[in-house]
Amino acid sequence: MISYAGIANPFGTGTYSVEMNSKLLRRYRYIHEQLFFCAAGQLPARENWHLKAALGKHLYEDAEAAGSLRRRIQELRTSPMLLQKQPNVTLALLFEELIHARSDLELLVGVYRVVKPALLKAVTQHMTDTQQLVDYPTVRLLKALSSDLREQIAWGEGMIETLQQEGESLELAAEFENRITGYLDAAGGISGEQGTSTHVPARWRSGKVYEMPKQAIRDVKKMGTPTMGRTAVPNLPEDPLKIRLIGMMKARQEEMSAVENLASVIYDQKLMPWEFYEDLARHLWDEVRHALFGQAALEAEGIDWMSLRQYVGGYDPLIEKLPAQRYALLSIGFEEKAMRRPGKIAEYEFCRDEAKHPLMERFQDYDWADEVTHAAFGRKWTPELFGEDLDYVRQVADVELAEREKLFQAWAKQQETGTQ
Ligand SMILES: [Fe+2]
Ligand SMILES: [Fe+2]
């Protein structure tokens, strides 16, 4: 269509007033935010490596979706104050229960079979029902987020199928699926279109507040045992270049531990401006990509990285600390320092000039670029979290680094005596 800039049906009045539109978008906003916090809270507790990676991608997409909805809602004569509110008590209960998923399968069915498909259906309907010309900004943003949702749901279905083929019984997640569906129905559905039930459902598992696990979980059926120390790839040829190169690939794959640390900061650090969560979601997804490029580089070399021991030292020793400390250690203690030589530049130059490994050269080039952003995020948010200036935070990060060094030395010593 040439007229109306290609926008179809400009004459239909559409279903939603500005007020109604804002109300619905606030529900979608809330749901994306809750899915985001749920994925962050669950990520270190989940076993399956591929699930951890996808949770990182999807929580980043949920954070971006919530951010764009927030911006649109404020264009609809809506006070930013209303963006802090939960739209409905039963909807809130649904997410308080969802985060209590106790297995990979429970989380998968709850998110990818119940909540996300219902959300996709609601936003698809919204795009059709709204006045196409005047509400084009909403249509455009829903188009983008529904395309993400469609890919996420397809991935989730594939993952559920894979787990079933590996012998897991869907029966074990059936009650969880039914409960979550029940909460959603009682909340009147995603848009509240069914009307909220006056029979408010009872709590199930959420009487106890969800807490981050004290230890990051690894899939013991498929992976080597978790370890606090850095791991090496055994039986490499005695070539220092090769040893350093493969070591770098393994170190990147181990960045899942940084992912889990960031997930804990997101979940435990309450009441920050949304921009903080969007930045950390981006940071987290970058670290997932670093872990995945480590994985890809190792697999391209034919190295079975999964059966090796799995590093969790970026999460386990930190989880009892304040989120501000966990974030300062990573972003200021490690990432800001990596901006100085040798740091990230030397890793990139090594891959390019010495190892002459085109895939790792490409990976490390972007890794370095990502880390510049992460250090900037750290400088932006850590003073905010501590209520102190950056100089103070840098000193805190140094204290944390020194403490960590001692802890790891003690751990290494213990390993030595334990194996003698
Ligand atoms: Fe990284
Ligand atoms: Fe980083």
Side-chain angles (χ1 to χ4, degrees):
M1 200 172 83
I2 296 303
S3 55
Y4 298 102
I7 293 170
N9 193 15
F11 309 109
T13 49
T15 310
Y16 312 123
S17 64
V18 166
E19 193 188 344
M20 186 63 198
N21 203 0
S22 162
K23 202 173 166 196
L24 286 170
L25 296 189
R26 273 179 276 149
R27 276 179 87 106
Y28 310 152
R29 182 275 313 169
Y30 177 78
I31 292 164
H32 276 292
E33 287 181 15
Q34 292 304 308
L35 285 165
F36 162 74
F37 286 119
C38 176
Q42 280 275 324
L43 199 153
R46 298 288 43 101
E47 285 184 10
N48 189 283
W49 175 265
H50 311 301
L51 174 57
K52 280 183 196 284
L55 286 175
K57 177 171 183 282
H58 299 171
L59 73 81
Y60 160 68
E61 289 163 355
D62 277 323
E64 295 261 303
S68 52
L69 284 163
R70 281 171 167 264
R71 287 181 281 280
R72 178 61 183 147
I73 289 162
Q74 288 178 80
E75 293 165 359
L76 297 171
R77 300 195 302 264
T78 305
S79 156
M81 296 295 286
L82 287 174
L83 293 173
Q84 314 305 328
K85 285 184 67 171
Q86 61 183 46
N88 174 288
V89 73
T90 311
L91 203 54
L93 181 56
L94 183 164
F95 290 105
E96 285 170 33
E97 291 292 339
L98 187 65
I99 195 152
H100 281 275
R102 289 179 184 162
S103 67
D104 290 4
L105 257 187
E106 281 195 350
L107 185 69
L108 282 162
V109 296
V111 172
Y112 301 98
R113 280 217 167 146
V114 183
V115 181
K116 283 191 186 261
L119 182 58
L120 175 61
K121 201 170 157 219
V123 298
T124 308
Q125 190 68 47
H126 195 123
M127 278 192 282
T128 318
D129 288 350
T130 198
Q131 213 293 333
Q132 299 293 300
L133 265 183
V134 289
D135 196 26
Y136 186 74
T138 300
V139 174
R140 181 159 185 264
L141 92 87
L142 295 184
K143 214 191 282 179
L145 67 84
S146 60
S147 137
D148 282 345
L149 277 171
R150 216 166 285 122
E151 280 180 25
Q152 294 163 8
I153 294 163
W155 180 89
E157 277 301 332
M159 187 75 238
I160 292 170
E161 214 171 285
T162 304
L163 289 181
Q164 280 180 286
Q165 281 162 5
E166 289 172 1
E168 298 217 19
S169 163
L170 209 51
E171 278 292 294
L172 296 173
E175 184 178 9
F176 191 78
E177 184 173 356
N178 288 338
R179 295 263 186 175
I180 298 299
T181 307
Y183 290 117
L184 184 59
D185 288 343
I190 296 291
S191 309
E193 71 281 1
Q194 301 159 30
T196 317
S197 170
T198 48
H199 181 78
V200 179
R203 282 193 187 281
W204 180 35
R205 293 173 177 168
S206 67
K208 222 174 126 221
V209 175
Y210 179 80
E211 276 184 29
M212 300 300 295
K214 300 290 177 230
Q215 284 160 340
I217 303 300
R218 292 289 178 276
D219 191 340
V220 286
K221 296 189 292 295
K222 299 193 191 99
M223 299 178 120
T225 47
T227 171
M228 294 261 278
R230 289 286 180 176
T231 59
V233 176
N235 308 321
L236 290 176
E238 268 183 51
D239 170 1
L241 275 186
K242 189 98 183 165
I243 290 172
R244 185 172 168 198
L245 179 70
I246 303 286
M248 205 179 284
M249 295 173 182
K250 186 72 179 77
R252 294 291 83 80
Q253 180 263 315
E254 290 174 345
E255 291 195 36
M256 193 58 92
S257 199
V259 171
E260 291 167 321
N261 180 33
L262 285 164
S264 79
V265 176
I266 288 172
Y267 189 74
D268 284 340
Q269 182 61 56
K270 309 290 182 199
L271 300 175
M272 288 294 282
W274 189 251
E275 197 189 336
F276 168 80
Y277 298 109
E278 273 192 273
D279 284 352
L280 265 77
R282 174 58 202 262
H283 189 167
L284 186 153
W285 168 229
D286 289 356
E287 302 304 352
V288 172
R289 290 188 291 103
H290 300 170
L292 298 185
F293 81 59
Q295 174 186 347
L298 289 165
E299 287 177 358
E301 298 291 316
I303 294 169
D304 173 18
W305 60 276
M306 229 189 221
S307 63
L308 302 175
R309 292 195 302 165
Q310 298 293 318
Y311 175 72
V312 290
Y315 179 91
D316 292 16
L318 298 177
I319 194 64
E320 299 284 6
K321 292 178 182 288
L322 296 174
Q325 288 169 290
R326 298 175 214 159
Y327 186 50
L329 176 69
L330 177 64
S331 64
I332 303 299
F334 288 114
E335 296 175 322
E336 190 184 53
K337 280 193 173 36
M339 294 300 104
R340 271 179 256 142
R341 274 191 187 274
K344 285 288 155 192
I345 310 164
E347 287 181 344
Y348 165 63
E349 288 173 349
F350 167 77
C351 294
R352 185 191 61 189
D353 303 332
E354 292 178 62
K356 297 187 173 35
H357 191 285
L359 186 60
M360 274 300 275
E361 178 194 333
R362 183 78 77 239
F363 283 159
Q364 288 294 147
D365 194 10
Y366 281 86
D367 178 77
W368 174 18
D370 287 344
E371 294 307 335
V372 175
T373 310
H374 301 169
F377 284 160
R379 285 191 289 268
K380 176 172 158 193
W381 292 113
T382 52
E384 194 88 9
L385 294 176
F386 282 96
E388 297 286 346
D389 62 18
L390 189 53
D391 194 44
Y392 170 88
V393 180
R394 286 184 177 132
Q395 291 176 45
V396 169
D398 284 340
V399 173
E400 292 294 331
L401 279 170
E403 192 189 302
R404 186 175 169 82
E405 189 52 39
K406 258 196 221 156
L407 184 87
F408 277 29
Q409 273 174 14
W411 180 85
K413 222 179 191 166
Q414 205 186 1
Q415 290 301 102
E416 261 172 46
T417 47
T419 49
Q420 265 168 12

